[in-house]
mmCIF file of all heavy atoms in Angstrom:
data_model
loop_
_atom_site.group_PDB
_atom_site.id
_atom_site.type_symbol
_atom_site.label_atom_id
_atom_site.label_comp_id
_atom_site.label_asym_id
_atom_site.label_seq_id
_atom_site.Cartn_x
_atom_site.Cartn_y
_atom_site.Cartn_z
ATOM 1 N N ALA N 153 7.670 24.631 13.943
ATOM 2 C CA ALA N 153 6.915 25.278 15.018
ATOM 3 C C ALA N 153 7.834 25.817 16.120
ATOM 4 O O ALA N 153 8.957 25.340 16.306
ATOM 5 C CB ALA N 153 5.921 24.300 15.615
ATOM 6 N N LEU N 154 7.316 26.805 16.830
ATOM 7 C CA LEU N 154 8.016 27.320 18.003
ATOM 8 C C LEU N 154 8.117 26.218 19.052
ATOM 9 O O LEU N 154 7.232 25.354 19.144
ATOM 10 C CB LEU N 154 7.257 28.510 18.586
ATOM 11 C CG LEU N 154 7.149 29.757 17.697
ATOM 12 C CD1 LEU N 154 6.195 30.774 18.322
ATOM 13 C CD2 LEU N 154 8.536 30.372 17.483
ATOM 14 N N SER N 155 9.145 26.261 19.861
ATOM 15 C CA SER N 155 9.361 25.212 20.861
ATOM 16 C C SER N 155 8.281 25.210 21.944
ATOM 17 O O SER N 155 8.110 24.216 22.637
ATOM 18 C CB SER N 155 10.740 25.361 21.505
ATOM 19 O OG SER N 155 10.844 26.623 22.145
ATOM 20 N N THR N 156 7.527 26.290 22.080
ATOM 21 C CA THR N 156 6.465 26.372 23.086
ATOM 22 C C THR N 156 5.152 25.743 22.611
ATOM 23 O O THR N 156 4.224 25.563 23.397
ATOM 24 C CB THR N 156 6.194 27.839 23.459
ATOM 25 O OG1 THR N 156 5.892 28.568 22.259
ATOM 26 C CG2 THR N 156 7.398 28.458 24.153
ATOM 27 N N VAL N 157 5.062 25.398 21.341
ATOM 28 C CA VAL N 157 3.847 24.826 20.761
ATOM 29 C C VAL N 157 3.953 23.304 20.785
ATOM 30 O O VAL N 157 4.991 22.741 20.444
ATOM 31 C CB VAL N 157 3.636 25.331 19.311
ATOM 32 C CG1 VAL N 157 2.391 24.729 18.703
ATOM 33 C CG2 VAL N 157 3.585 26.844 19.283
ATOM 34 N N LYS N 158 2.868 22.644 21.168
ATOM 35 C CA LYS N 158 2.859 21.178 21.230
ATOM 36 C C LYS N 158 2.322 20.590 19.930
ATOM 37 O O LYS N 158 1.348 21.101 19.377
ATOM 38 C CB LYS N 158 2.006 20.704 22.396
ATOM 39 C CG LYS N 158 2.591 21.073 23.739
ATOM 40 C CD LYS N 158 1.816 20.453 24.853
ATOM 41 C CE LYS N 158 2.471 20.855 26.159
ATOM 42 N NZ LYS N 158 1.966 20.131 27.280
ATOM 43 N N PRO N 159 2.927 19.483 19.469
ATOM 44 C CA PRO N 159 2.405 18.822 18.264
ATOM 45 C C PRO N 159 1.065 18.152 18.548
ATOM 46 O O PRO N 159 0.717 17.865 19.696
ATOM 47 C CB PRO N 159 3.473 17.786 17.932
ATOM 48 C CG PRO N 159 4.163 17.524 19.221
ATOM 49 C CD PRO N 159 4.090 18.800 20.019
ATOM 50 N N LYS N 160 0.335 17.904 17.512
ATOM 51 C CA LYS N 160 -0.941 17.192 17.621
ATOM 52 C C LYS N 160 -0.657 15.699 17.811
ATOM 53 O O LYS N 160 0.358 15.198 17.345
ATOM 54 C CB LYS N 160 -1.750 17.434 16.371
ATOM 55 C CG LYS N 160 -1.888 18.952 16.134
ATOM 56 C CD LYS N 160 -3.019 19.323 15.321
ATOM 57 C CE LYS N 160 -3.217 20.787 15.102
ATOM 58 N NZ LYS N 160 -2.405 21.767 15.754
ATOM 59 N N ASP N 161 -1.555 15.011 18.497
ATOM 60 C CA ASP N 161 -1.365 13.567 18.647
ATOM 61 C C ASP N 161 -1.876 12.856 17.382
ATOM 62 O O ASP N 161 -2.477 13.476 16.508
ATOM 63 C CB ASP N 161 -2.014 13.024 19.922
ATOM 64 C CG ASP N 161 -3.529 13.180 19.953
ATOM 65 O OD1 ASP N 161 -4.168 13.124 18.889
ATOM 66 O OD2 ASP N 161 -4.076 13.334 21.057
ATOM 67 N N LYS N 162 -1.639 11.564 17.301
ATOM 68 C CA LYS N 162 -1.980 10.798 16.094
ATOM 69 C C LYS N 162 -3.441 10.946 15.687
ATOM 70 O O LYS N 162 -3.751 11.176 14.524
ATOM 71 C CB LYS N 162 -1.678 9.315 16.295
ATOM 72 C CG LYS N 162 -0.240 8.956 16.245
ATOM 73 C CD LYS N 162 -0.093 7.452 16.422
ATOM 74 C CE LYS N 162 1.344 7.066 16.531
ATOM 75 N NZ LYS N 162 1.510 5.626 16.715
ATOM 76 N N GLU N 163 -4.331 10.787 16.646
ATOM 77 C CA GLU N 163 -5.759 10.837 16.329
ATOM 78 C C GLU N 163 -6.177 12.234 15.867
ATOM 79 O O GLU N 163 -7.065 12.372 15.029
ATOM 80 C CB GLU N 163 -6.584 10.398 17.535
ATOM 81 C CG GLU N 163 -6.554 8.886 17.779
ATOM 82 C CD GLU N 163 -5.223 8.390 18.329
ATOM 83 O OE1 GLU N 163 -4.549 9.147 19.062
ATOM 84 O OE2 GLU N 163 -4.845 7.250 18.014
ATOM 85 N N GLU N 164 -5.544 13.265 16.412
ATOM 86 C CA GLU N 164 -5.869 14.640 16.006
ATOM 87 C C GLU N 164 -5.562 14.886 14.532
ATOM 88 O O GLU N 164 -6.270 15.639 13.872
ATOM 89 C CB GLU N 164 -5.086 15.645 16.846
ATOM 90 C CG GLU N 164 -5.736 16.057 18.125
ATOM 91 C CD GLU N 164 -4.945 17.156 18.796
ATOM 92 O OE1 GLU N 164 -3.841 16.862 19.291
ATOM 93 O OE2 GLU N 164 -5.423 18.307 18.794
ATOM 94 N N LEU N 165 -4.485 14.275 14.031
ATOM 95 C CA LEU N 165 -4.117 14.489 12.619
ATOM 96 C C LEU N 165 -5.269 14.131 11.694
ATOM 97 O O LEU N 165 -5.487 14.788 10.676
ATOM 98 C CB LEU N 165 -2.894 13.663 12.233
ATOM 99 C CG LEU N 165 -1.541 14.049 12.811
ATOM 100 C CD1 LEU N 165 -0.446 13.246 12.136
ATOM 101 C CD2 LEU N 165 -1.258 15.521 12.702
ATOM 102 N N LEU N 166 -6.017 13.101 12.055
ATOM 103 C CA LEU N 166 -7.098 12.625 11.196
ATOM 104 C C LEU N 166 -8.302 13.562 11.187
ATOM 105 O O LEU N 166 -9.203 13.412 10.370
ATOM 106 C CB LEU N 166 -7.507 11.212 11.611
ATOM 107 C CG LEU N 166 -6.383 10.173 11.487
ATOM 108 C CD1 LEU N 166 -6.826 8.838 12.043
ATOM 109 C CD2 LEU N 166 -5.907 10.050 10.054
ATOM 110 N N LYS N 167 -8.313 14.564 12.052
ATOM 111 C CA LYS N 167 -9.388 15.558 12.072
ATOM 112 C C LYS N 167 -9.186 16.639 11.009
ATOM 113 O O LYS N 167 -10.072 17.442 10.782
ATOM 114 C CB LYS N 167 -9.471 16.219 13.448
ATOM 115 C CG LYS N 167 -9.889 15.276 14.550
ATOM 116 C CD LYS N 167 -9.915 15.984 15.884
ATOM 117 C CE LYS N 167 -10.286 15.023 16.995
ATOM 118 N NZ LYS N 167 -10.246 15.696 18.314
ATOM 119 N N TYR N 168 -8.032 16.650 10.365
ATOM 120 C CA TYR N 168 -7.707 17.711 9.418
ATOM 121 C C TYR N 168 -7.916 17.278 7.967
ATOM 122 O O TYR N 168 -7.158 17.631 7.082
ATOM 123 C CB TYR N 168 -6.271 18.204 9.657
ATOM 124 C CG TYR N 168 -6.178 18.984 10.939
ATOM 125 C CD1 TYR N 168 -5.902 18.356 12.147
ATOM 126 C CD2 TYR N 168 -6.415 20.347 10.942
ATOM 127 C CE1 TYR N 168 -5.845 19.069 13.328
ATOM 128 C CE2 TYR N 168 -6.358 21.071 12.123
ATOM 129 C CZ TYR N 168 -6.074 20.427 13.303
ATOM 130 O OH TYR N 168 -6.029 21.138 14.474
ATOM 131 N N GLN N 169 -8.978 16.521 7.736
ATOM 132 C CA GLN N 169 -9.329 16.098 6.380
ATOM 133 C C GLN N 169 -9.778 17.313 5.580
ATOM 134 O O GLN N 169 -10.596 18.110 6.043
ATOM 135 C CB GLN N 169 -10.454 15.075 6.426
ATOM 136 C CG GLN N 169 -10.908 14.632 5.069
ATOM 137 C CD GLN N 169 -12.045 13.619 5.138
ATOM 138 O OE1 GLN N 169 -12.201 12.917 6.129
ATOM 139 N NE2 GLN N 169 -12.822 13.559 4.092
#
Side-chain angles (χ1 to χ4, degrees):
L154 296 172
S155 60
T156 56
V157 179
K158 293 187 179 191
K160 306 203 178 355
D161 63 32
K162 285 181 186 179
E163 285 73 31
E164 272 186 289
L165 290 189
L166 299 174
K167 294 179 182 177
Y168 289 89
Q169 178 181 335

